[in-house]
Amino acid sequence: MLDAKERRKLKDKARELREKIVEVTFTCGGAHIGGAFSQHEILVALYYKAMRIDPKRPAWEDRDRFILSKGHGGVGHAVILGDLGYYDPVLLKDFNKTGSPFGMHLDRLKVPGVDFSTGSLGHGLALGLGAAMGARQTGKDWRTYVVMSDGECAEGSVWEAAMAAANFKATNLMAFVDRNRLSLDGPTESLMRLDPLDKKFEAFGWRTLVIDGHDLDQILDAVEISRAETERPVMVIANTIKGKGVDFMEEKTAWHYGGLDEAMRDAALASILKS
Amino acid sequence: MAKAQGLTWTIDDADHMTQAEIYGEVLTQIGLKNKRVVALTADLARSTKIGKFEEKIPERFYNVGIAEANMIAVAAGMTEAGLIPVVSTFATFASMRAAEFVRTDMCYQKRNVKIIATHSGTSFGQAGTTHHCTEDLAIMRSFAGMTVIAPADAFETARAVAAAIDFDGPVYIRIGRGFEPPMHKSMDFDFEIGKAIKLRDGRDLTIIATGVAVLQAMEAAERAAGNGVSVRVLDMHTVKPLDEDAVREALMDTRRIITVEDHSVIGGLGDAVADVIARSGKGCAFKKLGYQDCFAMVGYYEDLQHHYGIDADGIIDAIALVLKAEFEADEDWEDEI
């Protein structure tokens, strides 16, 4: 549990970062803003509280690893890394521009702080499992955190990795599903049914927790549970709201990807301020 | 017999070890010395012989079950801890089932993973097209940053595996089912990734071969010599990066080139060589031997190699055709009569 002061600080940080995501989306012409907002509290809790990292040493051997398996959330990830000081956030003015190090899906070889290049769905959980197994093989205590999208769970490779992670008892691996229930073509449950998603991961051998994915305390409590687990990797089904924080984007499939004109930007910022 | 660089073990230590058994043995040798090496397979430890590693070093061996895509991503993830994962499965699964994982997780992310793909070409002849793999060279060479090696025999496989571990970056090594006859007499020869081995010099024509086809090329060259035809043979074990200098030299010296591979004629060694020839602007009589845009039938490996014209007989026929072929000579080729 966070104390009241810490909670306030993290919430303010989350709000400030949402505003920055709006600004980048405005300048870059378009971004996956809906998913960046649904995953947002999970990334904030991990990067500003839970993970062992040092922005001054992005290649520090003993740092915790983070994989944004839903790589299209890169705009949110990039804003956080810039804010933490992995690079000058001013560089984000070039997001999506020709020749920029920042594309929609972040490249680990171009963006400091990015441990794995993602964008193709269904890779992150297996990459995270490999990292976790590598840490264990080399006797290191760093942990690996993976954030997936819910739509991504239609990929068969997610389940190959899910099966293997439980088989290898990768308790140094923790994964989240950003369960916003909307993918590109509409509601996940009418496209390709995922429910009961928690039962599915449970059946594959994971300890599965279902939480409110915008509640920082619940996210950090889940991290504590994962750290204490000795038998099973922990999967968190984080119930979230696509477009969270901006009233006209919330629960709207259309805001999977979109651009903002000046009026929309101002409206978005006003909505974030109220939330 | 002299030992290859860094190896304490030689072919003489075992009787008639196959290509696959040798890589298992060499990899185990390397693994015993280099603790960063880990081995992975997808339920093919016995078939691919990577199981030898498991016998000696079980704590660094992972069998991920029948899930090749997962295996590649897990291996890529392991490099984050400084490990050098070596994965082994059949070529058809490594290059096609797991293709996007190889491309995105190994190559794009520059992960130091080595793939040893067995049962390539039609070496698993009787298993049919699902288990043949005549596309992997084309697929793997198209991935930016991938090094692609097809050793000629067990000795060369041993050298290739050792070189791949020393090399920093993704490598794809394709070998056969493991019953291939030896081409070299020992492991004692110069082997360098990206450098062709000139096994035989010649004036009239050059055969550029890779993998098991190298032995067939040597047999054909021997027979051609009996008929007064002087044939150069290049063992092009590294298909990417291609030894372009060796190709250009063959082009300038002989102006007649045949490529041979246990692979489709589309996208493999033949096309890689054709590209160098085309860019040179020089006239050349040229023929590609391999599977001519078809799936091979079921059969014994040697029967298939004969049927599809990639054995010594097929190469001899191709030599006759290429020697007859006419092309426009240019001033650079003084030997042209």
Side-chain angles (χ1 to χ4, degrees):
Chain A
M1 280 289 276
L2 291 159
D3 61 42
K5 197 177 155 200
E6 258 187 323
R7 187 179 304 115
R8 173 49 47 204
K9 218 174 115 189
L10 277 183
K11 279 188 162 180
D12 286 348
K13 178 55 77 178
R15 180 183 295 119
E16 173 198 333
L17 291 166
R18 266 200 176 83
E19 290 166 358
K20 289 181 177 174
I21 292 168
V22 167
E23 292 293 353
V24 174
T25 303
F26 170 69
T27 54
C28 76
H32 292 89
I33 192 164
F37 284 167
S38 61
Q39 77 194 10
H40 193 57
E41 272 71 25
I42 301 169
L43 269 68
V44 169
L46 290 174
Y47 270 102
Y48 292 85
K49 178 74 180 167
M51 288 202 297
R52 182 168 75 194
I53 51 167
D54 180 358
K56 287 188 190 65
R57 292 183 291 163
W60 177 31
E61 224 177 84
D62 292 325
R63 73 192 187 281
D64 287 341
R65 286 356 183 233
F66 176 81
I67 302 171
L68 187 62
S69 189
K70 45 169 294 190
H72 54 285
V75 66
H77 193 193
V79 163
I80 286 173
L81 294 174
D83 181 68
L84 285 166
Y86 282 96
Y87 42 81
D88 185 346
V90 167
L91 294 172
L92 292 169
K93 69 179 176 11
D94 290 333
F95 200 93
N96 276 1
K97 304 268 161 65
T98 303
S100 166
F102 303 97
M104 292 173 203
H105 310 96
L106 301 181
D107 180 342
R108 79 177 189 105
L109 301 174
K110 293 187 178 149
V111 182
V114 174
D115 296 321
F116 287 85
S117 311
T118 53
S120 175
L121 298 172
H123 288 240
L125 194 59
L127 288 167
L129 171 59
M133 288 165 75
R136 185 165 63 191
Q137 181 75 63
T138 51
K140 297 286 191 174
D141 68 349
W142 49 267
R143 299 177 61 77
T144 302
Y145 297 90
V146 178
V147 174
M148 295 189 287
S149 73
D150 51 358
E152 174 178 5
C153 293
E155 292 280 6
S157 54
V158 167
W159 300 98
E160 291 184 10
M163 194 184 294
N167 179 73
F168 292 118
K169 293 190 176 176
T171 54
N172 55 350
L173 171 69
M174 181 182 192
F176 293 83
V177 174
D178 175 6
R179 187 76 172 107
N180 62 31
R181 296 188 166 263
L182 292 174
S183 59
L184 190 50
D185 279 346
T188 57
E189 300 315 285
S190 59
L191 277 173
M192 178 52 62
R193 190 172 62 248
L194 296 172
D195 279 336
L197 193 54
D198 55 335
K199 299 280 188 300
K200 286 173 181 167
F201 280 109
E202 193 83 34
F204 271 67
W206 289 64
R207 177 163 181 190
T208 307
L209 310 169
V210 181
I211 66 164
D212 173 348
H214 295 299
D215 185 319
L216 294 161
D217 287 281
Q218 289 189 37
I219 295 162
L220 291 166
D221 286 348
V223 171
E224 286 310 314
I225 289 169
S226 164
R227 284 184 178 138
E229 179 62 54
T230 56
E231 282 299 307
R232 295 180 293 172
V234 168
M235 175 64 67
V236 179
I237 309 297
N239 287 315
T240 58
I241 294 167
K242 195 155 190 164
K244 171 76 175 177
V246 174
D247 48 14
F248 64 87
M249 293 183 187
E250 287 190 3
E251 306 279 16
K252 299 279 196 305
T253 299
W255 281 102
H256 177 85
Y257 179 91
L260 298 168
D261 59 21
E262 268 181 58
M264 287 161 99
R265 177 193 62 179
D266 293 345
L269 291 174
S271 179
I272 290 168
L273 203 61
K274 273 189 290 176
S275 69
Chain B
M1 187 185 84
K3 288 169 179 126
Q5 293 153 1
L7 297 177
T8 57
W9 172 89
T10 75
I11 191 72
D12 298 334
D13 298 333
D15 293 329
H16 309 297
M17 286 186 92
T18 67
Q19 205 178 20
E21 285 168 323
I22 288 220
Y23 100 72
E25 186 63 41
V26 168
L27 191 60
T28 306
Q29 276 278 328
I30 294 169
L32 287 169
K33 281 193 276 183
N34 187 344
K35 300 272 189 288
R36 293 169 64 206
V37 175
V38 291
L40 297 92
T41 191
D43 196 35
L44 289 172
R46 291 178 61 213
S47 301
T48 66
K49 311 300 180 204
I50 205 166
K52 278 177 180 281
F53 193 101
E54 182 181 18
E55 289 166 23
K56 293 273 170 59
I57 319 173
E59 71 278 11
R60 273 186 277 135
F61 179 84
Y62 297 96
N63 197 328
V64 302
I66 306 166
E68 294 80 11
N70 187 50
M71 174 169 66
I72 297 294
V74 164
M78 284 176 158
T79 64
E80 196 63 30
L83 296 170
I84 306 173
V86 179
V87 308
S88 196
T89 183
F90 292 174
T92 183
F93 309 133
S95 67
M96 290 181 275
R97 171 64 71 102
E100 195 234 358
F101 290 73
V102 173
R103 179 261 195 190
T104 299
D105 299 336
M106 276 177 65
C107 298
Y108 168 50
Q109 302 199 43
K110 289 193 165 55
R111 298 287 180 180
N112 195 20
V113 176
K114 320 298 171 184
I115 297 175
I116 301 177
T118 69
H119 297 62
S120 68
T122 61
S123 63
F124 204 177
Q126 291 151 295
T129 295
T130 57
H131 285 61
H132 296 167
C133 185
T134 56
E135 303 87 355
D136 56 337
L137 295 177
I139 294 164
M140 290 295 159
R141 3 185 332 254
S142 72
F143 294 164
M146 182 62 109
T147 293
V148 184
I149 306 173
D153 68 356
F155 296 111
E156 213 167 281
T157 300
R159 299 299 305 276
V161 169
I165 300 289
D166 287 342
F167 178 84
D168 184 20
V171 178
Y172 180 84
I173 298 176
R174 63 123 59 180
I175 62 175
R177 192 182 175 195
F179 304 115
E180 297 72 25
M183 217 297 302
H184 296 280
K185 291 192 176 63
S186 74
M187 269 198 282
D188 190 19
F189 56 91
D190 287 334
F191 182 91
E192 191 186 325
I193 292 175
K195 190 101 182 86
I197 302 171
K198 193 190 285 183
L199 291 170
R200 187 185 174 105
D201 207 355
R203 290 172 283 106
D204 301 324
L205 181 145
T206 301
I207 305 173
I208 304 177
T210 196
V212 288
V214 176
L215 177 65
Q216 302 301 320
M218 285 297 280
E219 277 185 30
E222 188 69 33
R223 278 157 58 181
N227 294 324
V229 180
S230 169
V231 175
R232 178 181 299 183
V233 177
L234 293 181
D235 169 0
M236 195 64 83
H237 48 73
T238 308
V239 177
K240 185 188 171 189
L242 193 76
D243 186 346
E244 296 196 3
D245 288 342
V247 175
R248 276 190 291 267
E249 193 183 69
L251 173 66
M252 297 308 287
D253 292 350
T254 71
R255 287 297 171 100
R256 297 178 195 274
I257 291 176
I258 296 171
T259 60
V260 201
E261 59 199 305
D262 183 11
H263 185 273
S264 168
V265 290
I266 296 174
L269 173 72
D271 276 1
V273 169
D275 173 62
V276 178
I277 296 170
R279 280 187 282 123
S280 76
K282 304 295 174 194
C284 177
F286 179 66
K287 189 162 180 60
K288 293 187 288 187
L289 300 183
Y291 304 95
Q292 305 289 331
D293 198 18
C294 63
F295 291 112
M297 62 184 178
V298 164
Y300 291 115
Y301 191 21
E302 54 272 32
D303 291 344
L304 297 180
Q305 286 178 289
H306 182 74
H307 179 84
Y308 293 100
I310 57 172
D311 67 346
D313 290 344
I315 297 169
I316 286 289
D317 292 345
I319 289 173
L321 286 172
V322 169
L323 284 177
K324 269 189 263 170
E326 289 186 4
F327 58 91
E328 202 171 318
D330 56 53
E331 68 278 11
D332 287 350
W333 195 29
E334 292 167 358
D335 295 344
E336 180 65 282
I337 298 161

